[in-house]
Amino acid sequence: MPVQVNLPTVLRAHVGGVKTVTAEGSTVGEVLRFLVDRYPGLSGQVIDPNGSLHKFVNVYVNDDDVRYLSVLDTPVKDADDISILPAVAGGSTGAGEHHRR
Amino acid sequence: MTVYGSVLGLIGNTPLVEISELSPNPAVRLLVKLEGHNPGGSVKDRIALAMIEEAEKEGRVEPGQTLIEPSSGNTGIGLALVSRVRGYRLKVVLATNVSIERRQLLELRGAEIIESPGAEGSNGAVRRARALAAEHPDWAFLYQYANQANPNAHYNGTGPEIWRDCPTVTHFVAGLGTSGTLLGVGHYLKDQNPEVKVLAVEPPAGEIVDGLRNLDDGYIPPIFVENGGADLLDGKRIVRPRESIEWTRRLADVGIFAGISTGAALAGAIRTAASIESGTIVVVSADGGWKYLSTGAWTDDLDVVVERAKQITYF
C-alpha cells in the first residue's frame, strides 16, 4: 500500500531533488528496501551493509521513532507519514517542518 | 528555614507538582517536576555544578581557569552561575538564533558569548567549541554531550528525588537534548523498579539537518551510546512547535509558568496517558517560562507564535 516518505535535504539528490516520495510496503524495512530498489543512490544511505538501519539515520512513523518500536519490522499502514532524518545533537531548533499534515 | 552557604546550595530538590487535571485519563496521574526552581532557572544547573565539581576532583580544572562549552542556553547559564561563584572564566558557543533573554542571562553572569551560525544549530556550536578547545589547550572543555558527570547528576539527584517523592511512578517523560536527564533518571528509576517506562520527546530537527552535507555529519551524544541509551528508552517521539505551545498554555491554565520544551514533554505524557490503562507519569519541566516571554507564547496568536518558535532554540 502506498505511503508518503519525507526525505532530508542530504538524501534528496538521490531521488531527483524532491522532498517527498511515494513508496510501498507493509513494514518500515519493506518501504526502505522499495526506495533503495527504485533509487539506487540511496543504497548504503539508510540501510547499512548488515541490513540494519543506518546508525546516523532515524526513521519516524507518524512522529514515533521506529528504533523504539520494532525498528525495520515496524508495521506501516496506508496513509502513514514516514520521515527519514539524520541524527543530530539535541537542543536543535524547532525550525522548519519536514512534513505537514 | 536553612541558611545556605551560597546560591549553589539551592541546586536540586525541586518540587514535584500534581497536574492530573490535565490528564485525559482519570486513572492516570500526571506530575511535573519543576526544574525552573533551580537558582539559574533550569535543570542544567545540576549538571553545571556536577561537571565542574567532578573536573575539580580529577584535578582537570582550578578556579581562574577558562571553561568553554557549546550550549543552546541553559547549560551555559548554569555554568555561568557556577563559574561566577567558583571563580572561573566562561566562554559559551551559542547558535545565533537563541532568544535574547538567554543571551542576557549569560552576559549578566560574566560569560563571553561566541556565536555560531543559527542554521547549524547545536551541531555547529559543538563543532566550533571542539575546534576552539583544540586551539587552546589551557581551556577546559567540559562538553556536556560526552561528560559522564551529566547523567550522573541525574542518577544521583533528579532520579532519587523523584523516587523519594513518588515511588509509585510508572512512566518518566523528558526532553531529549544531551540525553543526560533521560539516562540518569531513567537508569535510577529502572534500578528501583524495572517496570518503569522511560520516554523521550524531541523537537523536529528542522533546518539544522538541512545543513548536513552527508549522513556521517550526524551526531549521537557519546554519553547516550556509553550509557546504553538505545536500550534504556522505551519510546522516542517528535513533538512539533504547535503542540508544544498548546500544552505550554494549558500548563499556564493550571498556574504553571514553564518553558516551551515543558509543553513538548507534557504533550508526550498526554499521549502516553491516553494509551495506558492506569499509572503515574512524571514529566520534567526543564525550565520556567521567563526566557520565552519575548516569543509571545502565552499571549499572541497561536499561528504567529508557532512561526516564531521555529526560529528560536527552545529545547
Side-chain angles (χ1 to χ4, degrees), chain A residues 8-12 44-46 54-58 60-69 83 85-101, chain B residues 72 97 122-123 145 176-177 202-210 212-216 218-220 224 229-230 233-238 240-241 309-310 312-315:
Chain A
T9 313
V10 63
L11 294 181
R12 285 178 205 159
Q45 300 278 319
V46 289
H54 188 294
K55 178 178 161 192
F56 286 130
V57 168
N58 293 332
Y60 299 84
V61 174
N62 301 328
D63 284 348
D64 273 317
D65 187 334
V66 303
R67 260 203 186 83
Y68 305 97
L69 299 173
S83 292
L85 285 171
V88 291
S92 53
T93 72
E97 287 194 294
H98 281 266
H99 57 101
R100 293 170 193 279
R101 303 261 160 91
Chain B
S72 59
N97 54 348
S122 297
N123 280 22
Y145 293 91
L176 181 68
E202 58 184 344
E207 67 183 19
I208 289 147
V209 297
D210 294 337
L212 294 189
R213 290 179 300 280
N214 63 65
L215 285 176
D216 292 326
Y219 187 81
I220 301 167
F224 186 77
L233 295 187
D234 295 291
K236 175 153 85 71
R237 178 171 177 78
I238 294 174
R240 288 166 193 282
K310 289 178 188 173
I312 62 149
T313 299
Y314 59 83
F315 235 73

